[in-house]
Amino acid sequence: MRVDDVQVPASPAAVAAREVAAEYCSPALFNHSERSYYFAVGFASVLALDFDAELLYVSALLHDLGLTSAFDNHRMAFETAGGHAAWVLTAGAGWPTARRRRALEVIERHMWPSVDPAFDPEGHLLEIATGLDISGSRPDVLPRNFLNEVLARHPRLGLGAEFTACLTDQAERKPDTPAARLVAGGLAEKLRGHPLEG
């Protein structure tokens, strides 16, 4: 498995999602979004799981948009806010309503404790990919050479401290959201001891 073997969609929605993420996310958060897609595709290969590459890519690039100051919602969970931004972007790209809704669902579900791949393959892949990149879960499933290639192309750039601060802020302001669950579950410690930091 090599990074260059990963198909990166080039549809109007995919290009727009990357432009939006690059514009509004910090460099560390943008690289996290890119890594999330590559890790998700890697997991799909290992698990022999079929998925919609365009839907997964758009969702991965926009899944943390709700953490940015421009898209933060004072009441809504950040993943729901980001999902609505994805709905709007994909509407502009001409996606039908049901497909726009799928982007919203995939982004929301990446914060679920687990997503059944039979129920939502893209949601499952984004959930476990972000779990690897943030919490360090399943670090031995993907080949180490693939992980190293992804990290070399999209380095972490101090993601741990930045993401801890973002989610702690979300948890304090929105205590009934999944962000508060992650913070209470030791997110800061997981990020400090992350297996991909070394």
Side-chain angles (χ1 to χ4, degrees):
M1 185 183 307
R2 300 294 304 273
V3 167
D4 288 339
D5 296 330
V6 174
Q7 173 196 355
V8 177
S11 66
V15 171
R18 192 174 195 279
E19 289 180 2
V20 167
E23 177 68 24
Y24 289 99
C25 294
S26 69
L29 204 58
F30 176 68
N31 279 6
H32 160 64
S33 299
E34 291 270 29
R35 284 193 307 275
S36 296
Y37 176 72
Y38 281 93
F39 292 163
V41 174
F43 278 120
S45 177
V46 170
L47 301 172
L49 189 62
D50 290 330
F51 65 97
D52 181 322
E54 182 190 37
L55 174 61
L56 181 60
Y57 185 77
V58 168
S59 300
L61 267 290
L62 300 180
H63 79 275
D64 279 342
L65 201 62
L67 292 175
T68 68
S69 59
F71 292 95
D72 187 12
N73 184 298
H74 74 288
R75 292 184 179 175
M76 191 178 289
F78 80 87
E79 64 274 17
T80 302
H84 284 293
W87 194 101
V88 172
L89 181 143
T90 54
W95 284 18
T97 303
R99 187 165 174 78
R100 292 176 227 158
R101 180 69 194 173
R102 284 291 298 124
L104 170 58
E105 290 169 347
V106 170
I107 292 172
E108 283 186 316
R109 291 170 185 166
H110 94 274
M111 286 292 287
W112 287 10
S114 65
V115 181
D116 183 346
F119 171 66
D120 182 351
E122 293 80 18
H124 173 73
L125 290 170
L126 189 58
E127 176 252 317
I128 61 175
T130 56
L132 169 60
D133 204 48
I134 296 299
S135 301
S137 58
R138 307 181 192 214
D140 301 321
V141 174
L142 301 181
R144 188 67 212 196
N145 68 307
F146 178 72
L147 294 174
N148 289 342
E149 280 192 64
V150 174
L151 289 165
R153 192 168 293 187
H154 305 286
R156 292 181 69 81
L157 303 178
L159 176 68
E162 180 179 329
F163 199 81
T164 298
C166 284
L167 254 67
T168 299
D169 173 65
Q170 292 283 319
E172 289 172 352
R173 291 188 290 118
K174 308 169 194 177
D176 296 327
T177 63
R181 171 181 51 81
L182 286 183
V183 171
L187 176 72
E189 292 77 9
K190 290 174 182 175
L191 278 162
R192 278 195 295 268
H194 201 286
L196 299 184
E197 287 289 356

